Amino acid sequence: MKPILSIIIPCFNSEATLDTTLESVLNQKYQNWEAVIVNDGSTDETEDIALRWVNRDGRFKYYSKQNEGLGKTRNFAINKSCATLILPLDSDNQLEENFVQDAISVFETNPNIGVVYGHAQFFGKKSGFWKVEEYKLEQILIENYIDACAIYKKGLWEQVGGYDENMPYQGLEDWELWIAFGAINVNFFHLNKITFNYYVSENSMIRSFTNEMALLSRDYIIKKYSKLYHYYLNKSISENKLLHEKMKSEKFVVNLFTKMVFGFKMFRSV
């Protein structure tokens, strides 16, 4: 049976965490999946661990290549995949057992949905609940608050050209993809539940980002989507001007106050 979902797992020196990550894949309540593991030039025992899982269950596929970074490795893995839905999973994170099943139900009942995601739970050097907000393009343009661990339609990835391999530094490709999806009006669905466990490490790739690297990557994204940034900037300016004009009206100010404090407006036509 052809799998419905391809779980994409890039690996780089992941011997300490890969077993538990793949165990969380195997424990999914929904079972019609394949897992594409790509070894991105590891120098530890990552390959041995991955091959043990391939021998254990034929749904695990394994590829090895030279080190090229996260964006190129995800694209490589997705090009090797054969399902219509994609789930990127970092090799140190863990899926909640109901995530895939819940997401598939959303896609089946809402064909207009392109991405399904949810909250996360921290573990490792940090613990606690990671509340992830609803997707808003104007908000995601400012900063990324949705992790790569979300399920989306492969056709959308193809439509926007995949993860951008031309960014000055690897690490913000998922943010760029979410903006690219917003630019073509993709609908995001928030499950409003914990969908995966996010591993916090002192040696994670994003922690190695310097201020200069982050600035150059952000500058690249802003230039690429300059029309979107200009649109929302102008929208914000126009809204602020309108509010400023309204604030000149004493009746508007009184209404604003009475509405906030007493729950009703003093004047009807303002």
Side-chain angles (χ1 to χ4, degrees):
M1 180 186 300
K2 184 178 179 180
I4 298 297
L5 175 73
S6 294
I7 304 174
I8 304 303
I9 309 171
C11 301
F12 178 71
N13 291 344
S14 305
E15 64 179 9
T17 59
L18 185 57
D19 266 326
T20 52
T21 296
L22 300 183
E23 188 75 43
S24 76
V25 172
L26 190 66
N27 290 338
Q28 288 300 295
K29 287 189 174 180
Y30 184 88
Q31 289 288 302
N32 189 15
W33 49 260
E34 66 169 357
V36 183
I37 308 166
V38 179
N39 183 358
D40 187 34
S42 298
T43 57
D44 63 359
E45 301 302 314
T46 292
E47 180 169 79
D48 293 339
I49 295 169
L51 289 176
R52 285 202 299 269
W53 281 88
V54 171
N55 291 330
R56 177 178 176 179
D57 191 313
R59 290 173 295 178
F60 290 97
K61 318 293 183 183
Y62 176 75
Y63 299 91
S64 180
K65 65 178 184 61
Q66 65 181 16
N67 182 262
E68 294 179 294
L70 188 56
K72 288 185 177 182
T73 303
R74 282 185 183 148
N75 284 339
F76 176 92
I78 295 172
N79 280 318
K80 297 292 185 182
S81 68
C82 60
T84 57
L85 294 174
I86 300 296
L87 170 55
L89 176 62
D90 290 347
S91 59
D92 52 4
N93 291 341
Q94 301 166 10
L95 300 174
E96 286 290 304
E97 64 178 7
N98 291 318
F99 179 26
V100 174
Q101 179 175 273
D102 292 342
I104 295 295
S105 296
V106 171
F107 285 116
E108 288 177 345
T109 57
N110 300 276
N112 63 320
I113 295 297
V115 182
V116 178
Y117 70 102
H119 302 299
Q121 190 82 24
F122 292 116
F123 74 105
K125 292 295 182 180
K126 179 180 179 180
S127 61
F129 176 63
W130 176 7
K131 183 180 179 180
V132 181
E133 301 294 335
E134 296 279 349
Y135 180 92
K136 293 181 180 179
L137 179 54
E138 59 267 41
Q139 186 175 345
I140 209 81
L141 284 167
I142 299 171
E143 63 175 346
N144 187 28
Y145 53 91
I146 300 176
D147 189 76
C149 191
I151 301 178
Y152 57 82
K153 293 178 178 177
K154 185 176 182 179
L156 298 175
W157 170 86
E158 294 170 338
Q159 188 174 344
V160 300
Y163 291 96
D164 191 333
E165 299 181 4
N166 297 315
M167 294 185 67
Y169 295 98
Q170 301 279 298
L172 299 181
E173 293 80 8
D174 51 331
W175 181 25
E176 191 279 331
L177 187 72
W178 301 148
I179 295 174
F181 282 176
I184 60 171
N185 300 314
V186 172
N187 292 313
F188 285 66
F189 186 94
H190 191 289
L191 282 172
N192 198 27
K193 64 188 298 186
I194 295 173
T195 55
F196 74 104
N197 299 310
Y198 183 90
Y199 182 61
V200 179
S201 168
E202 293 177 346
N203 302 316
S204 65
M205 180 181 64
I206 201 65
R207 286 177 178 267
S208 68
F209 251 47
T210 64
N211 290 336
E212 181 181 3
M213 292 165 66
L215 182 62
L216 288 172
S217 295
R218 287 176 178 273
D219 185 58
Y220 177 89
I221 289 174
I222 290 171
K223 288 178 179 177
K224 182 174 181 178
Y225 296 100
S226 59
K227 289 183 179 179
L228 280 175
Y229 281 97
H230 285 145
Y231 170 78
Y232 283 107
L233 176 60
N234 290 332
K235 182 172 180 278
S236 177
I237 291 172
S238 298
E239 290 173 350
N240 286 334
K241 283 182 177 179
L242 180 61
L243 178 61
H244 180 70
E245 291 299 319
K246 285 185 176 180
M247 289 299 288
K248 291 180 180 179
S249 166
E250 291 183 0
K251 289 183 179 181
F252 174 80
V253 175
V254 172
N255 271 351
L256 187 63
F257 174 79
T258 56
K259 179 67 175 179
M260 291 175 61
V261 176
F262 302 111
F264 65 87
K265 293 181 179 180
M266 183 69 72
F267 303 103
R268 293 183 179 179
S269 58
V270 179

